[in-house]
Amino acid sequence: MNSAPVAAEPDVTDPPRRARRRPARADVLAIGAYAVLGVLVCLNYWVDVQHRVSSHLPTDHSWFEWLFAHGAYSVRHLENPLFTARQNAPDGVNMMANTSLLGVTLPLAPLTMLLGPQVVYALYLGAALSATAATGYWTLSRHLVRSRGAAFVGGAFLGFAPGVVHHANGQPNFASNFLLPLIVSRVLRLGEPGRWRRNGIALGLLVAYQIFINEEMLLLTALACLVVVVAYAVQRPRAAWARAGTFLAAGGVGGALTLLLTAYPIWFQFNGPQSYRGLQGGVFHSWGEDLAAFVTFARDTVAGDEAVEKTIGLTEQNTWFGWPLVLVALVALVLLVRRSLPARIVAVLVVVFSVAAIGPKVRLNGVETAVDGPWAYVPDDLPLVEMMMPTRLTLVVAGAIGVLLALAWDALAGNRRPPVPTPRPAPATESAAPESAPPTTRTARRWLRPVGYAAIVLALLPLVPRPLPAQRIDPPPHFITAGGWRGYVPAGRTLVPVPIPSNVHGLPTLRWSALTGQEFPIPGGYFIGPNEAGEGVFGAPNRPTSTLIYATMDANRVAPVTDENRRQALEDLRFWKASVVVLGANPREAVLRELMTALLGPPRRVDDVWLWDVRAEV
């Protein structure tokens, strides 16, 4: 029997050859499907977009609405967007040292001015998820697989993986991964002969822009690319050596361009006003991924169960693939890893980043064991990783599984030789068979394709995202939205809302600033800034009056107010440069009014708020 020629093992750095004219219909359908899925995920916001925030992370949701307003304010007033004094007055906030999303909020500033931050937030969140899936699809279809179905499946998982959708609950910066597939594909093309300048410039521009979207995801992507390059060099040392010079030259161009474009913002992040060094106590290092999370269905999927989350969901849900997908992924790796270089590299990524994500102690079903994890040996103050959360390393695993699904689907489609054993040639004494696949091979391929497709689809169906849960939030007082405050807050002074915004209290009052275009500065806020030792802490350092307000809210009663409390209140108001103190509708309105009256005297009822005019006192 004449044996069929064996196809050459695909090279991860060599894109598949295709005709110049590509069918556009499949691309349009894929992007349209991603857009529909993005709308579905945000559906609960659109029911009442002006008065809905995330049920899981309402404060984060409000923070990002505030960020969109910050972008619009910076553009409207031509102010430095790297810093703001509209929150945490009078000290301000270093926006580069926080998740400021400037690469999005500044370009969308005109839209925010037109539609408001609530609408733009919901629009952008769905678009970010869909765009990530679309760039993943484009990268896979142009550089790794031939089947558009394979690219569609892989792109869908890259954009809507359970961990990504989990972060979409109030953290759109972790759903904004649309540049990452382009960065990875450009890194893998740095070794192309004759194109080192163009590839280096393209990579430098992409990396520089990603810095203004999410630096943490950029760091994870860089670590993943490092593992990919090393794994490739180990398996293809001659090819890697032949391309090393071009690769390094292009990488040098990209690095130099990135540094040129971002040197000042990065300097500002670490040395500008309100910068800090690490987080106090390295609070994130204990957040490792629970081993049971890998085979559990995520909360926001059709198969998810919130009751399970209470058992093992102490950390973020960055894996939560469900057992069917884990089983399919393992089978695909076993069948593909022998003959597919990309599959072997995917296997390395999965192993390395799954182990690295365990944290300082191994956790299983919500129970911390006595077994040390890899992060037990990582110093809390190690540069670059001092603020990393171990569990987020599994976002690389999610990306690797998206690529693996595309490779598996492509193999089933016949564009990579299916992993079916080839029968040995017949003995010389037997008559030669016709030039067609032997019956065993034809039979195997006949059932392998539908079974493989069905296995992938059935593993992914339970992970289809549900609309993100949303809760209603009351609008700001009419006194705020109608501009009644303008007669009380002159330039250089602040409006002090009660309660003062913080990481725990004052979510509605933070939105007062966001929904009025940040036209008045406020004390406190939701951000990371330095403490007395220069370490990062969440929120503004509490002053005596803010501490008293929060204690009153927690106890729902007013403790006896002393003359010292009144003296401290005036001192705090002077520090904040306050001109007016405003209390709107609040579940603790009665006790807060009683407290502020004891501190500042009787208020005036102005429109729908209680108001203390303190300009004469401070």
Side-chain angles (χ1 to χ4, degrees):
M1 182 186 75
N2 295 332
S3 59
V6 178
E9 185 182 59
D11 190 329
V12 70
T13 63
D14 292 332
R17 297 180 181 274
R18 25 169 111 248
R20 285 184 178 273
R21 297 182 63 184
R22 310 172 194 272
R25 180 177 300 178
D27 299 340
V28 172
L29 290 175
I31 294 172
Y34 297 149
V36 170
L37 198 53
V39 172
L40 172 67
V41 169
C42 300
L43 195 60
N44 285 332
Y45 295 144
W46 289 111
V47 172
D48 186 8
V49 70
Q50 302 288 346
H51 307 112
R52 290 285 184 108
V53 294
S54 168
S55 297
H56 294 306
L57 291 173
T59 308
D60 285 55
H61 186 129
S62 294
W63 161 252
F64 279 95
E65 287 184 344
W66 192 92
L67 289 179
F68 280 104
H70 165 71
Y73 182 89
S74 299
V75 171
R76 184 189 305 115
H77 296 275
L78 299 178
E79 289 196 357
N80 178 12
L82 307 182
F83 185 83
T84 181
R86 314 312 287 180
Q87 190 174 163
N88 191 35
D91 294 330
V93 178
N94 187 320
M95 301 304 291
M96 277 301 296
N98 283 267
T99 53
S100 55
L101 209 64
L102 291 173
V104 173
T105 62
L106 293 176
L108 292 184
L111 200 60
T112 303
M113 297 178 201
L114 179 65
L115 302 177
Q118 312 102 304
V119 175
V120 174
Y121 176 96
L123 277 174
Y124 174 73
L125 179 60
L129 293 166
S130 303
T132 301
T135 57
Y137 167 85
W138 187 90
T139 301
L140 290 169
S141 64
R142 269 59 177 179
H143 300 295
L144 191 62
V145 299
R146 297 180 185 274
S147 165
R148 295 301 173 94
F152 175 79
V153 170
F157 194 81
L158 291 174
F160 296 92
V164 177
V165 174
H166 168 79
H167 282 287
N169 286 284
Q171 296 179 329
N173 57 320
F174 281 100
S176 305
N177 303 320
F178 41 85
L179 293 184
L180 301 185
L182 306 179
I183 290 174
V184 172
S185 65
R186 191 58 61 175
V187 168
L188 298 181
R189 297 174 62 188
L190 291 181
E192 288 181 338
R195 297 183 176 181
W196 61 274
R197 289 188 185 88
R198 187 180 72 174
N199 287 334
I201 291 172
L203 179 62
L205 293 173
L206 289 168
V207 170
Y209 197 74
Q210 178 64 32
I211 286 174
F212 297 101
I213 296 177
N214 190 328
E215 291 179 86
E216 186 173 353
M217 288 303 297
L218 178 60
L219 176 59
L220 293 181
T221 303
L223 293 174
C225 288
L226 177 62
V227 172
V228 169
V229 170
V230 171
Y232 176 82
V234 169
Q235 297 178 76
R236 294 285 181 83
R238 292 184 179 179
W241 180 254
R243 300 179 181 186
T246 305
F247 185 94
L248 293 175
V253 170
L257 180 58
T258 299
L259 183 61
L260 177 66
L261 295 175
T262 63
Y264 177 71
I266 291 176
W267 175 90
F268 194 93
Q269 175 178 345
F270 294 103
N271 299 282
Q274 292 299 104
S275 59
Y276 52 88
R277 291 290 187 273
L279 283 178
Q280 186 179 33
V283 294
F284 288 154
H285 281 198
S286 62
W287 289 23
E289 190 74 337
D290 193 303
L291 297 182
F294 286 87
V295 295
T296 304
F297 293 112
R299 175 193 61 207
D300 296 317
T301 61
V302 295
D305 184 0
E306 291 194 15
V308 177
E309 175 192 29
K310 297 176 182 178
T311 304
I312 65 175
L314 298 178
T315 61
E316 298 174 344
Q317 298 180 15
N318 292 312
T319 52
W320 295 64
F321 301 130
W323 64 264
L325 180 58
V326 171
L327 181 60
V328 166
L330 289 174
V331 171
L333 282 175
V334 169
L335 295 179
L336 291 174
V337 76
R338 278 197 313 147
R339 61 190 63 197
S340 169
L341 176 61
R344 289 198 293 273
I345 293 176
V346 165
V348 173
L349 284 171
V350 169
V351 172
V352 168
F353 284 89
S354 294
V355 172
I358 291 175
K361 291 290 183 180
V362 176
R363 298 181 64 90
L364 181 62
N365 284 319
V367 177
E368 186 178 276
T369 69
V371 180
D372 283 342
W375 283 76
Y377 309 100
V378 177
D380 287 345
D381 57 351
L382 188 68
L384 293 181
V385 299
E386 59 187 353
M387 292 182 61
M388 287 184 64
M389 192 181 298
T391 176
R392 289 180 180 171
L393 292 169
T394 56
L395 293 172
V396 175
V397 179
I401 288 181
V403 174
L404 177 63
L405 291 171
L407 291 172
W409 193 285
D410 202 48
L412 292 168
N415 296 315
R416 297 284 185 266
R417 290 181 66 82
V420 179
T422 303
R424 295 180 179 178
T429 56
E430 295 181 15
S431 58
E435 292 205 12
S436 60
T440 55
T441 302
R442 291 199 305 270
T443 302
R445 289 180 177 176
R446 188 178 301 119
W447 63 259
L448 178 63
R449 180 174 294 176
V451 169
Y453 286 156
I456 293 174
V457 171
L458 292 176
L460 292 178
L461 280 178
L463 302 180
V464 172
R466 293 182 293 185
L468 299 175
Q471 67 184 37
R472 178 174 171 78
I473 186 170
D474 291 331
H478 183 262
F479 173 80
I480 296 295
T481 57
W485 57 270
R486 294 185 183 277
Y488 298 91
V489 187
R493 303 295 287 271
T494 67
L495 182 150
V496 178
V498 179
I500 296 163
S502 72
N503 288 9
V504 179
H505 302 88
L507 163 62
T509 53
L510 178 63
R511 298 183 88 234
W512 292 8
S513 172
L515 304 189
T516 54
Q518 299 185 0
E519 288 301 326
F520 53 81
I522 57 173
Y526 185 65
F527 61 95
I528 301 178
N531 62 10
E532 295 80 0
E535 298 174 313
V537 293
F538 290 94
N542 282 334
R543 298 189 66 84
T545 303
S546 58
T547 300
L548 186 58
I549 290 173
Y550 302 149
T552 300
M553 294 181 68
D554 292 339
N556 198 22
R557 65 181 181 84
V558 179
V561 175
T562 66
D563 289 339
E564 177 63 14
N565 295 140
R566 297 184 182 93
R567 185 195 68 77
Q568 290 174 335
L570 290 176
E571 184 178 325
D572 291 339
L573 292 172
R574 292 189 185 101
F575 174 79
W576 290 325
K577 299 182 179 179
S579 63
V580 65
V581 178
V582 179
L583 171 64
N586 188 288
R588 297 286 192 266
E589 179 180 346
V591 293
L592 288 174
R593 178 187 173 194
E594 181 182 349
L595 171 66
M596 299 311 297
T597 299
L599 291 173
L600 303 176
R604 292 169 49 202
R605 186 68 175 176
V606 180
D607 200 344
D608 54 349
V609 302
W610 297 104
L611 183 144
W612 290 263
D613 189 338
V614 296
R615 285 174 289 181
E617 289 82 358
V618 301

